[in-house]
Amino acid sequence: MKVGIKVKFWGVRGSIPTPGAKYIKYGGNTPCVEVRLPNNQLFIFDAGTGIRELGNILCKGEGRLKAHIFLSHFHWDHIQGLPFFKPSYIKGNEIVILGMDLQEARLDRIISNQMESIYFPVKLQSLSAHMKFQILSEGSNIIDGVKVDTVYINHPGQAMGYVITFGKIKICYFTDNELVPSWATGSFKLKYKSDTRENILKIISGADLLIHDAQYTDEEYKTNVGWGHSSLSEVLGLAKEGRVNRLALFHHDPDHFDEQIDIFAANCKENLNGSNHVMECFATHEGMELHF
Ligand SMILES: [Zn+2]
Ligand SMILES: [Zn+2]
């Protein structure tokens, strides 16, 4: 029986928006995922360009809006849509931005910096909504009555993975994460923070949904080691070992056209044939909705 959780993808592209005819099926907006919980809590994961259209639709609703925006990290593709999120411009709305602090700057500073006049005409302080910031570090939190666990993941400059648990449903958001390949040895392996995979495996175990960065084919990965993204086989390996129910491939490479992502999804299914763990695997596209 479904408990009434909706997950909707508003942006699934990694690194940079990719408009154009070659990207119609999966979409060109950068990461943004809406999670709507049964008590109507609104959780948004990342504020890539996909958040703009989500914001436009939210503005059509009536009454005061409350949204929690969880940021995986602060690379452009994950925050660039934030200044275009219209609910932030409406008095009475409450927008809570959650994420980690960095050594270089606090969370609120990082976000207000991208709205300095050099980059954008409206300052963060001028937004009409009540803008709040909540710093998260690794651990377990209750946010708006919902359990949200966080874990640091393997990405240049640090990133954070999120796990929401609502009743028996567990939804995991892990983008911009480089899984250590099983063949990595010696000095090659030293490029990685050693134990993130083990921590991730523990926290995603038995998940109903794992949304994970799968930017590269195995071949492409070999020439992109250390860039902070995973290959398809590593993601599949993690999901199988974690006995995940549904694996959603995310953060598609900007150079992967629709046909190439179709091949990714097909390879994923083929790999699962004959596996003793039944798992659904698919490539995410803009507008895709999942219900739990
Ligand atoms: Zn990214
Ligand atoms: Zn990144």
Side-chain angles (χ1 to χ4, degrees):
M1 204 184 74
K2 297 212 185 325
V3 297
I5 299 174
K6 180 185 91 173
V7 177
K8 184 163 181 178
F9 294 87
W10 294 90
V12 298
R13 186 67 53 179
S15 311
I16 189 165
T18 56
K22 292 169 178 163
Y23 302 97
I24 286 172
K25 183 172 173 186
Y26 293 94
N29 279 304
T30 57
C32 179
V33 179
E34 171 192 7
V35 178
R36 187 70 77 151
L37 293 151
N39 298 332
N40 217 27
Q41 297 104 319
L42 171 60
F43 284 7
I44 299 167
F45 290 87
D46 276 329
T49 58
I51 203 171
R52 187 186 64 86
E53 194 159 340
L54 167 60
N56 291 351
I57 286 177
L58 292 172
C59 283
K60 290 182 183 153
E62 283 174 14
R64 202 180 69 91
L65 178 94
K66 185 174 181 186
H68 286 80
I69 303 176
F70 297 83
L71 299 174
S72 60
H73 63 311
F74 313 108
H75 287 160
W76 287 122
D77 50 325
H78 299 261
I79 59 168
Q80 208 164 20
L82 204 52
F84 300 89
F85 185 60
K86 283 202 186 118
S88 310
Y89 293 79
I90 297 170
K91 202 169 161 51
N93 286 346
E94 184 180 324
I95 315 289
V96 189
I97 297 173
L98 305 96
M100 61 198 174
D101 262 352
L102 293 181
Q103 259 175 350
E104 298 88 330
R106 286 173 56 95
L107 173 66
D108 55 342
R109 191 76 214 137
I110 295 168
I111 298 307
S112 65
N113 278 352
Q114 77 155 343
M115 294 178 76
E116 282 298 322
S117 57
I118 298 170
Y119 307 109
F120 196 72
V122 183
K123 281 194 186 300
L124 179 82
Q125 296 77 5
S126 314
L127 295 174
S128 301
H130 184 199
M131 304 296 292
K132 286 182 169 174
F133 291 88
Q134 185 170 345
I135 296 156
L136 298 173
S137 49
E138 202 168 50
S140 202
N141 312 273
I142 301 293
I143 311 284
D144 214 10
V146 181
K147 186 170 184 272
V148 180
D149 292 310
T150 48
V151 63
Y152 291 126
I153 53 182
N154 194 15
H155 196 62
Q158 190 72 282
M160 189 170 260
Y162 293 95
V163 177
I164 310 172
T165 309
F166 191 95
K168 287 185 175 159
I169 302 294
K170 186 160 153 181
I171 294 169
C172 310
Y173 181 76
F174 284 78
T175 190
D176 296 55
N177 179 41
E178 184 166 348
L179 293 164
V180 180
S182 44
W183 44 265
T185 52
S187 60
F188 181 71
K189 198 164 184 169
L190 288 178
K191 287 182 179 226
Y192 301 90
K193 297 185 187 86
S194 57
D195 61 349
T196 52
R197 191 181 191 281
E198 282 311 302
N199 289 347
I200 293 167
L201 190 58
K202 245 183 259 164
I203 205 170
I204 63 152
S205 168
D208 295 275
L209 174 66
L210 170 64
I211 301 165
H212 201 289
D213 174 330
Q215 184 149 343
Y216 301 131
T217 63
D218 295 359
E219 258 327 284
E220 285 165 344
Y221 177 76
K222 288 177 191 161
T223 52
N224 289 284
V225 172
W227 281 73
H229 303 287
S230 293
S231 69
L232 182 60
S233 339
E234 287 304 318
V235 178
L236 266 168
L238 176 84
K240 278 200 253 181
E241 205 178 328
R243 304 197 76 74
V244 162
N245 283 334
R246 280 163 141 181
L247 170 63
L249 307 176
F250 190 71
H251 203 275
H252 305 311
D253 191 277
D255 290 330
H256 287 172
F257 308 144
D258 286 342
E259 307 83 72
Q260 285 158 304
I261 300 175
D262 283 342
I263 295 170
F264 253 68
N267 286 348
C268 199
K269 287 202 175 78
E270 198 182 303
N271 179 294
L272 290 170
N273 279 343
S275 164
N276 59 1
H277 171 57
V278 181
M279 178 171 76
E280 199 186 322
C281 176
F282 50 88
T284 53
H285 62 80
E286 263 173 47
M288 177 182 258
E289 276 188 31
L290 305 172
H291 296 267
F292 297 89

